[in-house]
Amino acid sequence: MTTTAFDVQAVRADFPILGQVVHGKTLVYLDSAATSQKPRPVLDALRSYYDLDNANVHRGIHELSRRATDAYEGAREKVARWINAPSPKEIVWTRGTTEAINLVAHSWGLDNLNEGDEILISVLEHHSNIVPWQLVAARTGAKLRYIELDDQGRWILDDLSTLLNDRTKLVAVSHVSNALGTINPVKDVVARAREVGAVVVVDGAQGAVHTRVDVQDLGADFYALSGHKMCGPTGIGVLWGRAELLDAMAPYQGGGEMIEFVHRDHSTWAGLPHKFEAGTPNIAGAVGLGAAVDYLAGIGMDAVVAHERELVGYALDRLREIEGMRIYGPESQAERSAVVSFTLAASHPHDISTILDAEGVAVRAGHHCAQLVMKHFGVAATARASFYLYNTREDVDRLVDALGVVKRIFG
Ligand code: PLP
């Protein structure tokens, strides 16, 4: 699939997993916010890497090591171009968004935050953009403050000028919410945060999947993403950071690859980005993520976003017709990405998910690692249908039909 004319059936044909039958029904996969499926070119790249090129990177002076290093560093260049980073040196491989945020919290936070400083996050955050800051706050004496949510789960920014002040040293916010699908006005918040001199971390775990990311245009200092959410393998992600900040930060972990010289009593560090990549990295993962970026670039991010928008609009229209349906998140479709979080009358989301599963429809039920969001809406859990480039209107119809079964069982 290398054409820019979006053809969802051609896209689906690239994803072998989607053709399978589950519980006697053709699979409808609506859990891409948790992890996306992988297209053939990504699977082929992983296979080909291990079949032909597998070796450790950087260290070996032999053909396979050279090839592995070229593939690994080539993938870094692809990701840098994909998010418009000024240099591949600013692309640090991590296990995913969680590790990328923890890296900043640890390497920047522990050295730069002090008693009385403030960290601003939002109630909408995934736990991986809350807990690392709680840990750093506990160790440094910094105070955690929150952007609150309105009744549609959108950031309340009226009091942003109070929340952002000369004590605010760090702002960490998500680009797109995994729990509600909200596309946050992150660029505005970044601009305001930088006015007070705060360092800004953007959790792009969902943003990198559902928007065209341009880190230079966004203006933040760090952007974190996970490969597995955007057609790549698990266990590989990215921390993009401004070179001057990364340069000034202490290493996150010590070990091989990240040093320049090791002496008895101290060591000196390799340059960027290797200073942050201790140990043998996830080489195949990086190669796979490079292939995912190629795949998405071949289709075109604008086409992906347009397809998702159309699909979510259709899903919202159809779901809103169901009696007892409560949909969480912004009413306006313009503020929404490819996620629909819902509850259905008194049915427990786990029961909904179990019945949908029996109908071949995979959705997620739970707190979606966003317990503060659930608390905000006064629920313990929601069911969440999340869409990606390979989903169709027929998938939405199958979801709605399966919810009919839920209604028949629970009344
Ligand atoms: N942030 C958001 C908004 C997410 O959706 C997720 C994953 O669901 C994460 C962070 C954590 O990503 P990972 O588990 O890949 O590190």
Side-chain angles (χ1 to χ4, degrees), residues 53-83:
D53 302 329
N54 179 50
N56 214 329
V57 285
H58 301 140
R59 293 180 265 230
I61 309 179
H62 59 77
E63 174 61 19
L64 293 195
S65 177
R66 253 191 304 273
R67 275 195 238 146
T69 304
D70 286 352
Y72 178 70
E73 292 302 332
R76 198 191 302 275
E77 285 166 21
K78 286 176 190 178
V79 170
R81 278 196 297 278
W82 180 245
I83 62 171

Side-chain angles (χ1 to χ4, degrees), residues 274-324:
H274 307 293
K275 178 171 87 171
F276 293 106
E277 294 177 2
T280 300
N282 183 355
I283 307 164
V287 172
L289 179 52
V293 164
D294 283 344
Y295 180 77
L296 292 169
I299 292 171
M301 214 37 211
D302 292 343
V304 171
V305 173
H307 173 71
E308 288 177 355
R309 273 186 178 255
E310 195 277 330
L311 204 56
V312 169
Y314 179 66
L316 287 169
D317 287 347
R318 293 244 33 216
L319 291 171
R320 280 178 184 137
E321 286 167 6
I322 301 174
E323 209 190 313

Side-chain angles (χ1 to χ4, degrees), residues 1-18:
M1 173 81 207
T2 49
T3 167
T4 47
F6 191 84
D7 173 353
V8 70
Q9 291 307 333
V11 168
R12 288 180 68 80
D14 289 334
F15 290 80
I17 204 168
L18 296 177

Side-chain angles (χ1 to χ4, degrees), residues 214-232:
D214 180 336
V215 291
Q216 297 190 62
D217 179 60
L218 201 56
D221 297 289
F222 296 100
Y223 196 93
L225 63 87
S226 296
H228 71 96
K229 309 239 189 224
M230 46 181 284
C231 296

Side-chain angles (χ1 to χ4, degrees), residues 97-161:
T97 303
T98 304
E99 189 177 48
I101 295 172
N102 275 278
L103 192 163
V104 180
H106 193 276
S107 292
W108 188 90
L110 290 180
D111 281 349
N112 289 282
L113 294 168
N114 295 299
E115 179 110 38
D117 289 342
E118 293 181 1
I119 302 168
L120 181 63
I121 62 175
S122 91
V123 173
L124 196 53
E125 300 312 305
H126 187 281
H127 295 163
S128 63
N129 201 25
I130 298 175
V131 182
W133 304 117
Q134 290 176 337
L135 291 170
V136 163
R139 285 177 64 178
T140 59
K143 184 176 168 202
L144 207 52
R145 300 192 70 182
Y146 283 89
I147 298 173
E148 298 295 334
L149 305 183
D150 69 11
D151 58 1
Q152 294 182 36
R154 297 171 302 188
W155 289 344
I156 298 174
L157 296 176
D158 301 346
D159 54 353
L160 192 60
S161 34

Side-chain angles (χ1 to χ4, degrees), residues 76 90-94 103 237-240 246 273 276-277:
R76 198 191 302 275
E90 298 185 343
I91 302 295
V92 177
W93 295 124
T94 63
L103 192 163
V238 168
L239 173 69
W240 166 77
L246 291 173
F276 293 106
E277 294 177 2

